[in-house]
Amino acid sequence: MKDYLPYAAGVLAGLLVAFLISRLLMLSETPQLMLFALLPALGGALVERVCRRRPNNS
């Protein structure tokens, strides 16, 4: 379960960014759906990749 924490943190960060962008740009319908589909997945993947690349990660 501990191995999923970086991915989950990235997903939450991506979700928060998606909410902020959606709110600031007043997006609706298809653009908003794309934003909420892509950003959490990208955030999770990026944070997980960064955590795995750290040399002192045991």
Side-chain angles (χ1 to χ4, degrees):
M1 187 71 172
K2 183 180 168 185
D3 293 334
Y4 291 109
L5 288 178
Y7 182 77
V11 167
L12 287 176
L15 191 59
L16 288 174
V17 170
F19 273 119
L20 285 172
I21 292 173
S22 175
R23 186 63 72 152
L24 289 174
L25 298 178
M26 300 295 228
L27 297 176
S28 63
E29 298 180 14
T30 304
Q32 188 178 31
L33 277 173
M34 291 175 61
L35 193 70
F36 279 101
L38 294 175
L39 283 182
L42 285 174
L46 287 174
V47 170
E48 183 179 27
R49 186 176 187 108
V50 167
C51 286
R52 287 187 184 212
R53 282 190 172 213
R54 288 192 306 188
N56 59 358
N57 191 11
S58 327

